[in-house]
Amino acid sequence: MLKISNTVEIADWEIEITQIRAQGAGGQNVNKVASAVHLRFDVQNSALPPFYKERLMALQDQRISKEGVIVIKAQSFRTLELNKEDALERLKELIQEAVKVQKVRRATRPSKSARRKRVDHKTRKGRTKALRGKVQV
């Protein structure tokens, strides 16, 4: 079970994990051992609440296909177990970020005193720089 929040969990049978060979440099071992992991999670056919599904499908993320399948490739670590944990953690973070409700931004204006202080500071700086010129003899 992958626990997303207090009320939402993903069953193990919903997540498909396959072993693959890692890409890139790594010596002889990388060519023999399948220690990288492909994690596949079908959002549409999962037991997630509808709100979660809608938010995930609305994401513009390259890891989510048009059919609603999340594919995560983990190959950072040398062992299969660590790569599995990494992939599951990344899936959890992706789902949690998708359902996070953004705070509504309210436009604000600087106060009168803040504007006055800004202008005063600019005039003081300007006077200081004006005094840096050549001295008139």
Side-chain angles (χ1 to χ4, degrees), residues 5-16:
S5 68
N6 291 337
T7 56
V8 178
E9 291 180 340
I10 298 175
D12 291 336
W13 60 268
E14 292 184 282
I15 301 171
E16 179 188 330

Side-chain angles (χ1 to χ4, degrees), residues 63 72-76 85-95:
R63 296 173 288 188
I72 296 175
K73 183 177 182 182
Q75 60 180 10
S76 302
E85 287 177 25
D86 182 40
L88 290 169
E89 189 62 33
R90 284 165 45 193
L91 175 66
K92 180 180 175 180
E93 288 172 5
L94 177 69
I95 295 171

Side-chain angles (χ1 to χ4, degrees), residues 13-27:
W13 60 268
E14 292 184 282
I15 301 171
E16 179 188 330
I17 296 176
T18 53
Q19 299 175 8
I20 57 169
R21 287 188 180 163
Q23 293 176 324

Side-chain angles (χ1 to χ4, degrees), residues 50-110:
F51 173 72
Y52 279 65
K53 291 180 183 181
E54 290 169 14
R55 294 297 294 260
L56 278 169
M57 292 307 292
L59 276 182
Q60 295 295 319
D61 197 311
Q62 64 184 14
R63 296 173 288 188
I64 304 174
S65 69
K66 290 176 185 158
E67 296 81 37
V69 178
I70 298 174
V71 179
I72 296 175
K73 183 177 182 182
Q75 60 180 10
S76 302
F77 300 99
R78 295 180 82 172
T79 62
L80 180 68
E81 292 78 23
L82 286 175
N83 282 327
K84 276 185 186 178
E85 287 177 25
D86 182 40
L88 290 169
E89 189 62 33
R90 284 165 45 193
L91 175 66
K92 180 180 175 180
E93 288 172 5
L94 177 69
I95 295 171
Q96 286 175 340
E97 284 296 317
V99 296
K100 194 179 287 184
V101 179
Q102 293 293 321
K103 190 175 168 183
V104 178
R105 187 191 181 284
R106 294 198 175 96
T108 58
R109 287 183 3 198

